[in-house]
Amino acid sequence: MRVEVWGDINCPWCYIGKARFEQALAGFEHRADVEVVHRSFELDPRASRAARPLIPLLAAKYGLSLEQAEAAEARIAENARGEGLPYLSEGRDAANSFDMHRLLHFAKDQGRQAELLDVLYRANFADERSAFAAGRLVELAVEAGLDGEAAAAVLADPEAYADAVREDEATASAMGATGVPFFVLDRRLGVSGAQPVETFARALEQAWESRLPAPLIPVGGGDAEACGPDGCELPQQ
């Protein structure tokens, strides 16, 4: 059974949802027969490639004061830490993620996609040094077990794996995905948002037990936290 996961490195709920899904998968009886493939989704394709401080960007997007934006980030950090994930709620940057997605497709060809995804999420949400700093992506690729020169060559060519990223995004759009994380099990069953572990566990069981061609079935409702073109949902106090 194949599980495809659409997400963006800039999406905190993708970071959290990935941890919850993996916890459910770890307890799934048939986990050895599940292939997980990560797909590209840019929350803001028009975002600047130059890194900028995150908190002022959040404040401007949501119409918040800097203090309110900081408090919202702190609440997301609390959710992340509740899943055992490290998370810096202050001092982080944000920038365009297209090159990260291109590099993830290269890593998939090298059999290191999962490793690079973990490294990128950690670098973006938990490291004091920005994941968008000059030369940082090559360093992170090497940390994930990729060849540094080959990774640098991919990043130096703006068309390398660009079509693969756009194809993922077009597929997500065709499926009706407007936000991430978005999990699709065997192209039959869809789960939107950072659902609870129990919801992911039920989805895995349901997909396994009903492996027949059928329209995409939504699971868990649409009320789980997610990120979309208008931004990421902020947890309430």
Side-chain angles (χ1 to χ4, degrees), residues 51 129-137:
R129 184 182 176 195
S130 174
F132 301 98
R136 184 71 166 132
L137 284 184

Side-chain angles (χ1 to χ4, degrees), residues 18-236:
K18 178 177 180 292
R20 292 175 179 172
F21 171 76
E22 288 176 348
Q23 184 177 338
L25 183 60
F28 183 52
E29 180 182 1
H30 307 286
R31 60 186 176 276
D33 298 310
V34 177
E35 175 193 13
V36 180
V37 177
H38 294 278
R39 302 291 189 192
S40 301
F41 190 105
E42 294 173 273
L43 290 173
D44 185 2
R46 296 170 296 180
S48 170
R49 290 183 177 273
R52 293 183 291 171
L54 176 66
I55 294 300
L57 290 175
L58 290 177
K61 178 182 285 288
Y62 293 108
L64 305 173
S65 68
L66 292 178
E67 291 75 15
Q68 289 172 322
E70 289 172 353
E73 266 294 283
R75 290 194 292 273
I76 293 178
E78 184 178 352
N79 276 265
R81 292 170 189 147
E83 303 300 333
L85 299 171
Y87 195 103
L88 291 178
S89 56
E90 298 180 359
R92 291 195 295 111
D93 290 337
N96 190 288
S97 61
F98 192 71
D99 283 346
M100 290 180 168
H101 288 296
R102 293 196 300 115
L103 200 60
L104 281 165
H105 277 280
F106 165 68
K108 181 176 182 292
D109 281 353
Q110 306 301 310
R112 307 295 293 179
Q113 187 188 55
E115 290 81 359
L116 180 61
L117 187 65
D118 284 341
V119 168
L120 290 175
Y121 273 135
R122 188 217 67 221
N124 193 32
F125 291 110
D127 284 2
E128 292 187 1
R129 184 182 176 195
S130 174
F132 301 98
R136 184 71 166 132
L137 284 184
V138 173
E139 294 176 5
L140 295 173
V142 171
E143 185 177 335
L146 296 166
D147 180 81
E149 291 186 3
V154 168
L155 294 171
D157 178 1
E159 292 306 312
Y161 295 96
D163 286 346
V165 175
R166 296 184 186 112
E167 182 179 348
D168 278 356
E169 293 174 338
T171 301
S173 178
M175 288 184 173
T178 58
V180 285
F182 183 54
F183 300 78
V184 177
L185 290 73
D186 266 356
R187 293 286 173 105
R188 296 189 317 276
L189 186 150
V191 182
S192 297
Q195 297 282 350
V197 173
E198 295 76 15
T199 299
F200 285 123
R202 288 198 302 272
L204 286 166
E205 292 289 350
Q206 183 177 346
W208 184 265
E209 293 171 1
S210 60
R211 286 175 290 165
L212 294 173
L216 192 66
I217 304 168
V219 171
D223 56 350
E225 296 89 349
C227 296
D230 295 328
C232 298
E233 296 180 26
L234 304 180
Q236 301 300 310

